[in-house]
């Protein structure tokens, strides 16, 4: 495909997006061994505020079932629709709000997203969490699109976070 994924990777992400229970369990199990216990878990909401039930939300909820992680899934909320694939961090920030800021203040937060393309949604949500008083934010994308013709696409989530520091 145009993004350079093998078909199994594409199928895996599609299964996550369609909320397939086995995939939710698999992602949650994988992340549970790689995320420091005691952090709060939040996720980047869908571009459509009407779509609140998402696979990545299910992963956060599954992880939060244990006593190891705190559920912050209701804290980053999309209040107005943005065009799918929106690449402007300012538009992202203006379409999302933080609710329950008291749950975020002073916390270490892991922010999850199902697929990262440019990182603008991740950066925008991370900025809002920092503005709400988060102590530290770690960003995790389950998949990342890589356009073979676009040399500006970040090659790692670390590059996305570094870009966030510049914006």
């Amino acid at each position: 495909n145009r993004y350079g994924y093998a078909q199994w990777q594409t199928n895996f992400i599609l299964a996550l997006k369609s909320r397939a229970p086995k995939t939710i369990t698999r992602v949650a199990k994988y992340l549970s061994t790689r995320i420091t216990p005691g952090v709060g878990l939040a996720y980047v909401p869908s571009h459509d505020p009407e779509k609140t039930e998402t696979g990545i939300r299910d992963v956060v909820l599954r992880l939060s079932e244990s006593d190891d992680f705190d559920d912050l899934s209701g804290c980053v909320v999309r209040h107005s629709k943005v065009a799918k694939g929106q690449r402007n961090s300012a538009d992202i920030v203006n379409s999302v709000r933080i609710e329950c800021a008291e749950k975020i203040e002073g916390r270490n937060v892991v922010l999850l997203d199902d697929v990262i393309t440019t990182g603008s949604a991740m950066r925008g949500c991370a900025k809002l969490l920092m503005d709400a008083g988060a102590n530290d934010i770690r960003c995790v994308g389950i998949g990342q699109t890589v356009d073979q013709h676009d040399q500006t696409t970040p090659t790692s989530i670390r590059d996305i976070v570094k870009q966030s520091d510049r914006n």
Side-chain angles (χ1 to χ4, degrees):
N1 62 39
R2 81 175 242 219
Y3 293 115
Y5 279 134
Q7 191 59 45
W8 72 266
Q9 292 167 313
T10 299
N11 291 343
F12 185 81
I13 294 299
L14 291 174
L16 176 62
K17 286 181 163 290
S18 67
R19 304 177 67 207
K22 285 183 179 180
T23 303
I24 301 302
T25 299
R26 188 173 172 193
V27 172
K29 186 175 180 179
Y30 177 83
L31 291 175
S32 70
T33 63
R34 288 160 175 81
I35 298 175
T36 305
V39 301
L41 301 175
Y43 69 96
V44 175
S46 169
H47 74 285
D48 183 351
E50 298 297 316
K51 187 176 180 186
T52 57
E53 306 285 322
T54 64
I56 199 67
R57 176 182 173 269
D58 292 347
V59 170
V60 168
L61 295 176
R62 179 70 52 85
L63 285 165
S64 299
E65 288 173 357
S66 77
D67 291 333
D68 291 336
F69 309 107
D70 294 325
D71 178 11
L72 302 179
S73 64
C75 295
V76 182
V77 178
R78 178 90 55 202
H79 60 81
S80 59
K81 191 172 186 174
V82 294
K84 193 166 184 155
Q86 175 60 261
R87 309 263 193 296
N88 183 328
S89 290
D91 289 341
I92 301 295
V93 168
N94 292 330
S95 70
V96 175
R97 69 174 167 261
I98 298 295
E99 297 185 358
C100 309
E102 68 279 0
K103 290 182 177 182
I104 297 167
E105 191 170 348
R107 297 293 310 272
N108 294 329
V109 177
V110 172
L111 179 63
L112 300 172
D113 200 358
D114 52 9
V115 176
I116 298 171
T117 300
T118 65
S120 60
M122 186 73 81
R123 283 192 303 274
C125 292
K127 178 185 180 341
L128 289 171
L129 286 164
M130 290 300 289
D131 290 349
N135 181 53
D136 185 47
I137 299 173
R138 301 296 169 163
C139 300
V140 176
I142 305 305
Q144 179 182 2
T145 58
V146 179
D147 189 332
Q148 302 300 322
H149 305 290
D150 180 2
Q151 299 303 311
T152 64
T153 303
T155 57
S156 76
I157 190 64
R158 292 184 192 279
D159 293 338
I160 290 169
V161 174
K162 287 177 189 172
Q163 287 179 6
S164 178
D165 293 340
R166 287 185 236 137
N167 293 337

